[in-house]
Amino acid sequence: IEQPTFPKITEMCVKMIRRVNDEEGIKKLVNETFQKLWFTPTLHHDKEAMTRKILNITDVVAACRDTGYDWFEQLLQNLLKSEEDASYKPVKKACTQLVDNLVEHILKYEESLSDADNKGVNSGRLVACITTLFLFSKIRPQLMVKHAMTMQPYLTTKCSTQNDFMVICNVAKILELVVPLMEHPSETFLATIEEDLMKLIIKYGMTVVQHCVSCLGAVVNKVTQNYKFVWACFNRYYGALSKLKNQHQEDPNSTILTANKPALLRSLFTVGALCRHFDFDQEDFKGNSKVNIKDKVLELLMYFTKHSDEEVQTKAIIGLGFAFIQHPSLMFEQEVKTLYNSILSDKNCSVNLKIQVLKNLQTYLQEEDTRMQQADRDWKKVAKQEDLKEMGDISSGMSSSIMQLYLKQVLEAFFHTQSSVRHFALNVIALTLNQGLIHPVQCVPYLIAMGTDPEPSMRNKADQQLVEIDKKYAGFIHMKAVAGMKMSYQVQQAINTCPKDPVRGFRHDESSSALCSHLYSMIRGNRQHRRAFLISLLNLFDDTAKTEVNMLLYIADNLACFPYQTQEEPLFIMHHIDITLSVSGSNLLQSFKESMVKDKKKERKPSSDEETESDSNSGSGSESEEEASKRRRLRKRVDSDSDSDEENDINAVMKCLPENSAPLIEFANVSQGILLLLMLKQHLKNLCGFSDSKIQKYSPSESAKVYDKAINRKTGVHFHPKQTLDFLRSDMANSKITEEVKRSIVKQYLDFKLLMEHLDPDEEEEDGEVSASTNARNKAITSLLGGGSPKNNAAETEDDESDGEDRGGGTSGVRRR
């Protein structure tokens, strides 16, 4: 307003106007800004200000050509609604001024073009002006009634560029909205429009045909009732299709068919488009004939969906989609159900066909929505005299039944590798949910899964749907959260372009945020729900759950990167990791021991006990008090001796290995879950800088306030479970076992055993000295996790908590790298 010539005005407007659907405060600001900028009446003599305003609006409309114009409609509706009951209506007045001046601007612009030679060059501005007029007509068609006659000649624009087609389509859309509102339009004007539209339908491509048939529908059905005219056109294309079908039946490889392919494609599309806007089973069209037109059309189009040429199949499916808008009941036909469901669920079916079926469902739902809104508006006008019961139930019941039929297949399309298929599937589900056609609970896990999509627009849309569901039905999200996480892993598997690389659970960008972070942030507010969710995830790591290793990696990634806010959250996880480790770890060691060859084991038991205290438990299933105290007495020797003894130990265990290597593989497989938990605990410890004593003292039953402090995250701490990644990349579960692999598994077993023996930190030594038990445990962890020096952990057992935390944090990256 202050600096109307500033060059970045358009860009600024575009950025602001996109926030028109934000929270209330921002929405109010946007509305006020644009009311001042665009929708305040301009003084009649100030032509310059008016021209500036028009150029500014059309520039913004042009800049948003690719992203859609929902914002403009929303803005205009908000502003006009706000003054509905006011006596003075500045916005309405401003809109009238803008529309009148836009039309004037177009006419002047045309004159200047006809004088100059550069006719095609500048038509971008013309498109923007006409698009803006269409947007005004969409919200307030009355504004354009007096200009309809002016717009009609643009239907005869010579089409050479994309912009010319845009002009024709937008003019057709304007006339479609405006002509039915005109009082007593002249016969010649209407006849001219009908003829112009018919010429365009016969001559040009899909987009033009679609808009022109739609416009013709409005003019003929609501104003002229010139049904003969349309019937002749329909018969022309329907006849052509029947003829082509007969030729194809006689000889599918006939050369005539190849030559006639363009005619076939046009006929399929046009017959469908005409059926969308006209009900040819009315007497006005077919007279007294007993033929059921809609069934005949269905039969014809269905015939071509089985054609060998994919382009013909696609056009036939588009035609079907159009016909179903006029006659939704056709979607219950068995052959249609079979066609749609087989295209959606068949893995090998072409992507284009899948997308087209989803688009058909999307268009049907959008049309239903428009119908319902219109019925709603009409109802409000007559509400006082009518009976409530009969309002709009039938059509919503129909669309609900239709969506129940195809819902499962549409949801399964979320697992498609192509993002365009996922995009349309999500649109269909969003429309279905917004119209309340299905119970939302069945969609929740799929929406959680779509919230991990690599494309931000899809993620946001899925997340938005979850937020809406959560508002209406508290607890649904939490109920399906774990199922949603598992499904999101399937989506990631489908998207994963390189099958050799394991699927990871965080975004590969600078944020490294968890893929399911939005889900966690929705659940974390309720302590009970959050804990139940985290425990369910950790239970998947239990050796009895038999979860596949890559899914465990995916869940561990998410747990490592969730947006935790208070200390309670990671401490709770670490507490439960310890419980899981002690149970699963013992089971794992026990089953490995049982698989060893018994007689060799007996021979080695005494010598093993003498050789190394760290392995005091190797023969017996459980540890006796005596052995435990012996281990404590000789603890000082453990560190110095274990390196030399370990070698013998490995050899001793190697001798006891059974011939069949299945138990080894099983051990390597199951141990990945435990390794991931160890790694996760270590990662959270480093990330939040917790000391061992702090983790030890935590109790989940304490009041929430104690651990409500915010987390102080360390930077540069990344979760990189090297062993699991190596295990997955080398495909160890299916590869041949070599001596070397056996050796590494045995070493892992011994480290594991050592760790299990020293799992609980010592409570004897309170004076701050690092106990040998802790050293042994840290050494085992370091060895297991394939990290660097174990000394890093020393500071972390000190009792001075804050000091320990700082030092613990300082060592964060070393072990990991």
Side-chain angles (χ1 to χ4, degrees):
I1 295 172
E2 301 294 324
Q3 301 182 357
T5 54
F6 184 62
K8 296 241 175 195
I9 286 183
T10 306
E11 198 181 323
M12 286 153 64
C13 289
V14 170
K15 289 205 164 123
M16 281 191 292
I17 208 164
R18 286 195 185 144
R19 306 291 295 274
V20 74
N21 283 330
D22 254 355
E23 64 251 33
E24 283 307 312
I26 294 178
K27 195 169 166 177
K28 190 163 176 259
L29 258 176
V30 172
N31 288 342
E32 284 169 5
T33 307
F34 283 101
Q35 178 156 7
K36 248 190 217 152
L37 199 59
W38 291 350
F39 298 108
T40 306
T42 313
L43 298 170
H44 280 298
H45 56 76
D46 194 350
K47 284 287 179 200
E48 195 186 328
M50 194 70 224
T51 308
R52 245 200 334 264
K53 206 191 272 190
I54 282 177
L55 291 176
N56 181 218
I57 295 179
T58 50
D59 279 340
V60 173
V61 167
C64 292
R65 183 169 161 177
D66 299 329
T67 49
Y69 304 111
D70 302 352
W71 48 266
F72 188 90
E73 294 165 33
Q74 195 61 53
L75 177 71
L76 203 48
Q77 263 167 335
N78 294 349
L79 292 173
L80 286 164
K81 200 171 182 186
S82 65
E83 59 172 36
E84 256 174 9
D85 305 323
S87 53
Y88 174 56
K89 302 189 173 179
V91 177
K92 192 176 173 190
K93 188 176 175 190
C95 286
T96 312
Q97 272 188 352
L98 283 168
V99 167
D100 295 350
N101 278 283
L102 270 165
V103 173
E104 204 178 302
H105 190 80
I106 290 174
L107 294 172
K108 276 188 193 156
Y109 188 69
E110 282 286 283
E111 276 170 33
S112 68
L113 277 188
S114 57
D115 296 343
D117 296 328
N118 56 346
K119 214 165 178 184
V121 180
N122 250 331
S123 57
R125 170 75 62 197
L126 179 66
V127 174
C129 288
I130 289 183
T131 308
T132 312
L133 282 176
F134 163 62
L135 294 172
F136 276 111
S137 315
K138 208 169 168 184
I139 306 301
R140 280 282 184 280
Q142 296 82 357
L143 296 171
M144 279 296 291
V145 169
K146 61 181 179 188
H147 301 297
M149 310 277 277
T150 319
M151 298 316 292
Q152 179 266 320
Y154 286 92
L155 286 176
T156 57
T157 308
K158 293 256 184 312
C159 286
S160 52
T161 64
Q162 182 61 35
N163 281 339
D164 299 333
F165 286 113
M166 297 280 290
V167 168
I168 284 185
C169 292
N170 279 314
V171 170
K173 288 193 281 189
I174 291 170
L175 292 173
E176 177 184 344
L177 294 164
V178 175
V179 172
L181 301 177
M182 293 170 74
E183 285 181 28
H184 315 301
S186 77
E187 295 289 324
T188 45
F189 167 66
L190 293 172
T192 317
I193 286 187
E194 285 179 348
E195 277 167 33
D196 290 345
L197 290 170
M198 193 55 77
K199 282 177 194 159
L200 292 166
I201 291 169
I202 291 166
K203 189 172 177 187
Y204 291 116
M206 282 204 307
T207 322
V208 174
V209 170
Q210 208 171 331
H211 293 304
C212 291
V213 171
S214 185
C215 183
L216 191 63
V219 173
V220 171
N221 289 328
K222 295 177 184 172
V223 187
T224 64
Q225 269 89 45
N226 187 356
Y227 298 120
K228 296 258 183 309
F229 184 62
V230 180
W231 180 242
C233 175
F234 171 73
N235 270 320
R236 173 180 174 173
Y237 286 109
Y238 178 81
L241 264 190
S242 303
K243 194 173 159 194
L244 288 164
K245 177 191 165 186
N246 295 337
Q247 284 176 349
H248 187 262
Q249 276 173 325
E250 283 163 23
D251 175 13
N253 304 320
S254 150
T255 49
I256 306 171
L257 284 176
T258 323
N260 284 338
K261 185 177 160 185
L264 171 60
L265 297 177
R266 174 177 285 279
S267 303
L268 287 167
F269 186 86
T270 313
V271 164
L274 287 165
C275 287
R276 173 178 177 170
H277 296 284
F278 300 99
D279 182 359
F280 290 110
D281 280 315
Q282 289 178 354
E283 254 181 58
D284 298 323
F285 287 106
K286 64 176 186 181
N288 302 326
S289 163
K290 292 282 179 284
V291 180
N292 188 331
I293 303 286
K294 70 170 191 280
D295 292 347
K296 286 281 180 202
V297 170
L298 178 68
E299 185 192 328
L300 254 184
L301 293 172
M302 283 302 292
Y303 177 80
F304 286 105
T305 57
K306 300 174 183 64
H307 198 279
S308 55
D309 185 332
E310 191 188 301
E311 212 179 337
V312 174
Q313 285 178 295
T314 311
K315 283 287 187 296
I317 291 172
I318 294 175
L320 281 173
F322 286 155
F324 296 158
I325 291 170
Q326 179 72 255
H327 305 287
S329 58
L330 292 176
M331 280 195 257
F332 295 115
E333 295 288 333
Q334 190 53 50
E335 52 181 341
V336 176
K337 284 194 289 194
T338 312
L339 174 77
Y340 270 23
N341 284 338
S342 64
I343 288 176
L344 288 175
S345 52
D346 181 6
K347 291 269 187 296
N348 306 319
C349 186
S350 117
V351 174
N352 291 336
L353 296 182
K354 278 187 199 294
I355 290 175
Q356 196 47 60
V357 168
L358 290 167
K359 272 186 184 168
N360 282 1
L361 290 169
Q362 178 184 320
T363 316
Y364 164 69
L365 290 169
Q366 284 165 337
E367 284 288 312
E368 273 304 304
D369 199 33
T370 316
R371 265 185 223 174
M372 299 292 273
Q373 284 173 0
Q374 187 54 49
D376 227 28
R377 283 194 289 272
D378 298 346
W379 170 252
K380 280 188 182 132
K381 290 175 194 165
V382 294
K384 295 188 176 62
Q385 310 97 32
E386 296 289 338
D387 177 11
L388 262 180
K389 285 202 294 279
E390 288 160 24
M391 166 69 197
D393 278 352
I394 297 150
S395 58
S396 67
M398 170 84 83
S399 38
S400 177
S401 315
I402 288 170
M403 282 323 296
Q404 301 284 359
L405 275 184
Y406 299 111
L407 182 70
K408 189 166 182 343
Q409 281 72 18
V410 174
L411 287 169
E412 291 297 323
F414 282 1
F415 303 123
H416 200 276
T417 46
Q418 292 276 348
S419 69
S420 44
V421 176
R422 299 196 302 275
H423 169 80
F424 284 109
L426 183 59
N427 284 353
V428 172
I429 295 301
L431 283 164
T432 310
L433 287 170
N434 293 341
Q435 291 177 35
L437 302 179
I438 51 169
H439 196 293
V441 77
Q442 51 201 334
C443 295
V444 170
Y446 290 93
L447 289 168
I448 292 171
M450 277 309 276
T452 65
D453 197 278
E455 292 190 23
S457 59
M458 313 234 284
R459 285 205 294 274
N460 298 342
K461 190 162 192 171
D463 291 349
Q464 191 56 47
Q465 292 297 324
L466 286 173
V467 171
E468 292 298 320
I469 291 173
D470 198 41
K471 271 187 209 159
K472 289 181 197 158
Y473 312 91
F476 270 15
I477 309 295
H478 157 249
M479 191 161 81
K480 293 287 184 186
V482 179
M485 285 275 290
K486 288 180 174 173
M487 245 180 221
S488 69
Y489 169 68
Q490 289 172 282
V491 167
Q492 291 305 312
Q493 264 186 319
I495 295 168
N496 189 12
T497 45
C498 179
K500 283 206 174 76
D501 278 345
V503 172
R504 300 302 302 267
F506 56 83
R507 296 220 160 80
H508 298 281
D509 54 20
E510 63 285 352
S511 69
S512 303
S513 55
L515 290 178
C516 296
S517 55
H518 180 260
L519 170 68
Y520 181 76
S521 57
M522 285 180 78
I523 291 175
R524 72 166 293 283
N526 179 324
R527 188 177 183 211
Q528 194 184 348
H529 284 179
R530 178 181 75 223
R531 287 183 158 190
F533 173 58
L534 291 172
I535 288 177
S536 307
L537 290 183
L538 290 170
N539 285 345
L540 295 173
F541 290 85
D542 193 315
D543 53 336
T544 53
K546 299 273 185 282
T547 317
E548 62 169 299
V549 176
N550 198 345
M551 188 191 271
L552 291 179
L553 170 67
Y554 175 77
I555 288 169
D557 277 340
N558 273 291
L559 285 166
C561 303
F562 274 154
Y564 304 116
Q565 289 181 8
T566 59
Q567 294 186 353
E568 204 273 339
E569 298 163 56
L571 283 169
F572 179 78
I573 291 176
M574 290 149 97
H575 175 79
H576 275 276
I577 285 178
D578 282 343
I579 296 172
T580 311
L581 279 178
S582 57
V583 178
S584 290
S586 314
N587 293 350
L588 185 63
L589 292 179
Q590 190 58 36
S591 57
F592 188 84
K593 278 177 215 156
E594 283 166 8
S595 72
M596 284 201 239
V597 183
K598 290 282 189 296
D599 55 349
K600 292 183 182 173
K601 225 175 179 181
K602 280 185 190 130
E603 287 166 29
R604 118 178 213 282
K605 189 177 163 191
S607 65
S608 165
D609 263 358
E610 287 152 33
E611 271 170 22
T612 168
E613 295 311 319
S614 76
D615 198 18
S616 63
N617 188 13
S618 87
S620 61
S622 65
E623 185 178 13
S624 69
E625 273 303 306
E626 192 186 330
E627 283 171 327
S629 62
K630 196 199 297 183
R631 192 179 76 240
R632 283 206 186 93
R633 279 201 310 279
L634 292 162
R635 189 179 283 123
K636 298 285 177 274
R637 267 185 52 201
V638 171
D639 282 337
S640 55
D641 294 359
S642 68
D643 280 352
S644 56
D645 291 334
E646 198 175 57
E647 194 54 44
N648 305 331
D649 233 353
I650 288 182
N651 291 334
V653 178
M654 289 286 283
K655 285 177 191 157
C656 299
L657 290 180
E659 296 297 312
N660 175 12
S661 56
L664 268 182
I665 300 263
E666 177 65 11
F667 174 81
N669 214 350
V670 176
S671 65
Q672 293 307 321
I674 296 176
L675 281 173
L676 279 168
L677 288 182
L678 272 173
M679 202 59 192
L680 178 60
K681 181 180 172 185
Q682 212 63 7
H683 169 78
L684 292 173
K685 187 171 159 183
N686 293 332
L687 183 71
C688 310
F690 292 141
S691 65
D692 272 345
S693 60
K694 176 146 192 159
I695 298 166
Q696 215 40 42
K697 284 174 190 162
Y698 170 78
S699 157
S701 53
E702 267 185 78
S703 82
K705 289 191 178 67
V706 182
Y707 296 107
D708 253 358
K709 287 185 207 152
I711 289 175
N712 179 18
R713 284 170 183 269
K714 304 284 178 280
T715 50
V717 181
H718 297 295
F719 183 64
H720 183 72
K722 184 174 176 303
Q723 254 135 321
T724 307
L725 289 169
D726 291 346
F727 175 85
L728 288 166
R729 282 185 188 128
S730 63
D731 194 20
M732 193 186 279
N734 304 317
S735 52
K736 206 168 186 294
I737 284 227
T738 60
E739 252 341 87
E740 198 181 328
V741 173
K742 276 188 188 176
R743 246 188 135 62
S744 67
I745 293 177
V746 169
K747 182 172 184 324
Q748 198 182 338
Y749 160 70
L750 292 169
D751 286 332
F752 231 91
K753 205 139 97 24
L754 184 62
L755 175 74
M756 292 309 295
E757 285 159 11
H758 299 285
L759 198 57
D760 299 323
D762 248 18
E763 284 161 24
E764 290 172 12
E765 302 172 38
E766 291 290 328
D767 55 358
E769 274 185 35
V770 180
S771 69
S773 167
T774 304
N775 260 343
R777 177 163 53 93
N778 290 336
K779 195 163 185 179
I781 289 179
T782 307
S783 185
L784 271 172
L785 303 182
S789 152
K791 293 193 192 86
N792 298 332
N793 265 335
E796 293 174 10
T797 50
E798 292 200 8
D799 235 1
D800 175 10
E801 220 176 84
S802 62
D803 194 0
E805 281 179 37
D806 288 348
R807 274 184 271 175
T811 66
S812 65
V814 181
R815 193 175 317 96
R816 184 132 298 95
R817 285 193 286 279

